[in-house]
Amino acid sequence: MSRTAADTLIVGRVVGDVVDPFIPSIKMTVTYNNKRVSNGHEFYPSAVATRPRVEVQGGDLRDFFTLVMTDPDAPGPSDPYLREHLHWIITDIPGTTDATFGREVVSYEMPRPNIGIHRFVFVLFKQKRRQTINAPPSRDHFSTRDFAAENDLGLPVAVVYFNAQRETAARRR
């Protein structure tokens, strides 16, 4: 990850609100309908209605990864009392493949921000081994940090996020 990409995670408060400082070591590409997610860029909710393609580039087929997608701004950025809202978990993603080869623990939930601009964060962890990860009891009040600690995942190896806000009917046309 370039210095600029790491800086955008800090400026965008992803480092701090969602994850602790980390050193990126794996390349992760997230695309919705051939549009790549870049830190801080905006997507309309209608453009992210279906789950994205997530590619893990690095490691090898003997390495396994866990992907978490959360919204740290739920229900609204000025009062995110549901922080974090969980949108997706996939485990056992083999290195050098995409997330379709993993095990979906929590199904993809499309972003539906109601108030303000929300950050939607993809966090990739390298697993120490193949393991069973259970779904959390609720999508609300999820903590990426606690989830990583409970499942012995350590610090992230890659993170990317996009912004989205409520889409008016006129925008969807």
Side-chain angles (χ1 to χ4, degrees), residues 15 37 53 55 83 101 108 143 157 162:
V15 170
V37 172
R53 178 175 173 87
E55 295 175 86
R83 176 176 291 165
F101 290 94
Y108 181 78
S143 167
V157 294
F162 69 90

Side-chain angles (χ1 to χ4, degrees), residues 51-54 88 90 92-94 97-104:
R51 65 190 215 171
R53 178 175 173 87
V54 179
W88 201 22
I90 298 179
D92 295 331
I93 303 166
T97 66
D98 65 62
T100 60
F101 290 94
R103 184 174 76 85
E104 191 171 60

Side-chain angles (χ1 to χ4, degrees), residues 20-39:
D20 292 324
F22 71 101
I23 297 170
S25 57
I26 296 291
K27 184 175 181 190
M28 172 177 63
T29 306
V30 180
T31 53
Y32 284 96
N33 302 316
N34 296 320
K35 291 185 180 171
R36 187 173 174 174
V37 172
S38 296
N39 288 333

Side-chain angles (χ1 to χ4, degrees), residues 131 136 143-153:
Q131 63 192 82
S143 167
T144 299
R145 283 184 187 92
D146 292 349
F147 173 80
E150 290 162 9
N151 291 287
D152 194 26
L153 295 172

Side-chain angles (χ1 to χ4, degrees), residues 27-166:
K27 184 175 181 190
M28 172 177 63
T29 306
V30 180
T31 53
Y32 284 96
N33 302 316
N34 296 320
K35 291 185 180 171
R36 187 173 174 174
V37 172
S38 296
N39 288 333
H41 288 144
E42 185 170 350
F43 280 81
Y44 293 131
S46 60
V48 296
T50 58
R51 65 190 215 171
R53 178 175 173 87
V54 179
E55 295 175 86
V56 177
Q57 299 148 336
D60 62 40
L61 290 172
R62 293 173 299 209
D63 293 329
F64 294 97
F65 297 87
T66 293
L67 175 74
V68 173
M69 178 187 176
T70 70
D71 173 0
D73 301 315
S78 61
D79 186 19
Y81 64 85
L82 296 177
R83 176 176 291 165
E84 301 165 37
H85 182 80
L86 178 63
H87 282 267
W88 201 22
I89 295 178
I90 298 179
T91 63
D92 295 331
I93 303 166
T96 71
T97 66
D98 65 62
T100 60
F101 290 94
R103 184 174 76 85
E104 191 171 60
V105 175
V106 175
S107 62
Y108 181 78
E109 177 182 275
M110 81 173 269
R112 286 188 290 259
N114 286 321
I115 303 164
I117 299 170
H118 290 238
R119 297 164 293 164
F120 294 91
V121 184
F122 295 90
V123 183
L124 188 70
F125 296 96
K126 184 175 180 182
Q127 297 171 205
K128 292 183 172 83
R129 64 196 168 287
R130 246 192 143 124
Q131 63 192 82
T132 301
I133 292 177
N134 297 315
S138 169
R139 287 184 185 256
D140 290 331
H141 305 290
F142 180 79
S143 167
T144 299
R145 283 184 187 92
D146 292 349
F147 173 80
E150 290 162 9
N151 291 287
D152 194 26
L153 295 172
L155 290 172
V157 294
V159 176
V160 67
Y161 80 100
F162 69 90
N163 294 324
Q165 59 186 310
R166 186 175 182 177

